[in-house]
Amino acid sequence: MSPKQNSAVGEQPSAQSKKATKAADEKPASAKRAKSAKPESRLAMVRRARRMNRELADVYPYAHPELDFRDPFELLVATVLSAQTTDLRVNQTTPALFAKYPTPEDMAAAVPEELEEVIRPTGFFRAKTRSLIGLSTALRDRYDGEVPGTLKDLVTLPGVGRKTANVVLGNAFDVPGLTVDTHFGRLVRRWKWTDQEDPEKVEAEIAEIFPKSEWTMLSHRIIFHGRRVCHSRKPACGACPIAHLCPSYGEGETDPEKAKKLLKYEMGGYPGQRLSPPPDYPGKPAPPLGTPAGAE
């Protein structure tokens, strides 16, 4: 074969070669190295995790608790109601709830059937009613109608576990805490920060990676990312701002245009979950109950 022919062959790679090159170019560097790299050391994982947190802070400088509340009692009640439903549905329900039962004393004296009707949209309303009346009674009788500001006391209230307690501590009392909900657990396992399934073990392992001062905001950023980008069934990998640091890149849609269509809430141009979001929130407020919600 002449040099000219050799040159021509080199200038016209096969379709298969073109496809492979394109796929390699689209893949983040971390994913391209995954097969050949040695197992990640503990130190490397910690450094990667902390870098991911820093980059998420740049993506979500406005990250916040997505439950509407005005005081510790409202946050406690809203968090209990948020089990097995969306924060959006809770936020659409609590205005009427707190108008009727503004204090622990009021809620402790509630007629169960009437309270059930108010919170029915959040699901599991009978069990939640028992918890709300029980915790309100405990606040009235044991804490002078005030929500306690310690983990030890909060977890003694009916319907309140570590997750709920940490939400209240971090956002009503500025006491750092990790909120290990389904989004948090899914993402930290997907990112290989832990392989634990039990929420308390997840909390303990993640607490060792980050300084305590970061715990509350880290929780918000991870939950924000899980709701908006890194979904359970179909993550928007191609639109993920931290894909280059993710060891699980490729589990979801990698095409950038298709991935953009999977983005939710403000990332996808839809309303958020709060009816009264913080002033720096870049998205649209959620609509009241009974109004089409856009993207849930």
Side-chain angles (χ1 to χ4, degrees), residues 2 7 22 32 34 51 66 124 139 152 166 185 212 229 235 257 268:
S2 68
S7 176
K22 183 181 179 183
K32 287 191 282 185
R51 183 179 171 189
E66 294 191 87
F124 300 94
L139 293 178
K152 178 183 176 182
N166 280 327
K212 195 171 184 178
V229 180
E257 291 306 313

Side-chain angles (χ1 to χ4, degrees), residues 192-205:
K192 313 301 182 188
W193 294 1
T194 181
D195 58 4
Q196 297 291 343
E197 295 284 343
D198 179 77
E200 286 196 30
K201 292 179 180 178
V202 170
E203 181 184 341
E205 290 204 357

Side-chain angles (χ1 to χ4, degrees), residues 230-242:
C230 197
H231 313 306
S232 177
R233 294 182 182 177
K234 199 170 186 181
C237 294
C240 179
I242 56 170

Side-chain angles (χ1 to χ4, degrees), residues 44 50 77 105 122 125 128 155 174-175 178 185 199 232 258 262:
R50 291 181 177 181
V77 169
E105 290 81 4
T122 68
F125 55 90
K128 290 178 181 179
V155 296
D174 292 323
V175 176
L178 290 169
S232 177
K258 292 180 181 178
L262 299 174

Side-chain angles (χ1 to χ4, degrees), residues 216-239:
T216 299
M217 286 309 300
L218 172 71
S219 299
H220 292 326
R221 292 165 193 151
I222 291 176
I223 293 169
F224 255 59
H225 195 62
R227 287 174 171 167
R228 286 151 178 78
V229 180
C230 197
H231 313 306
S232 177
R233 294 182 182 177
K234 199 170 186 181
C237 294

Side-chain angles (χ1 to χ4, degrees), residues 27-32 34 40 48 52 187 189-193 225 230 235 237 240-251:
K27 221 171 202 181
S30 60
K32 287 191 282 185
E40 187 177 43
R48 177 172 60 82
M52 292 174 84
L187 267 61
R189 285 187 289 272
R190 187 171 278 170
W191 293 340
K192 313 301 182 188
W193 294 1
H225 195 62
C230 197
C237 294
C240 179
I242 56 170
H244 56 290
L245 296 169
C246 181
S248 299
Y249 173 84
E251 285 189 9

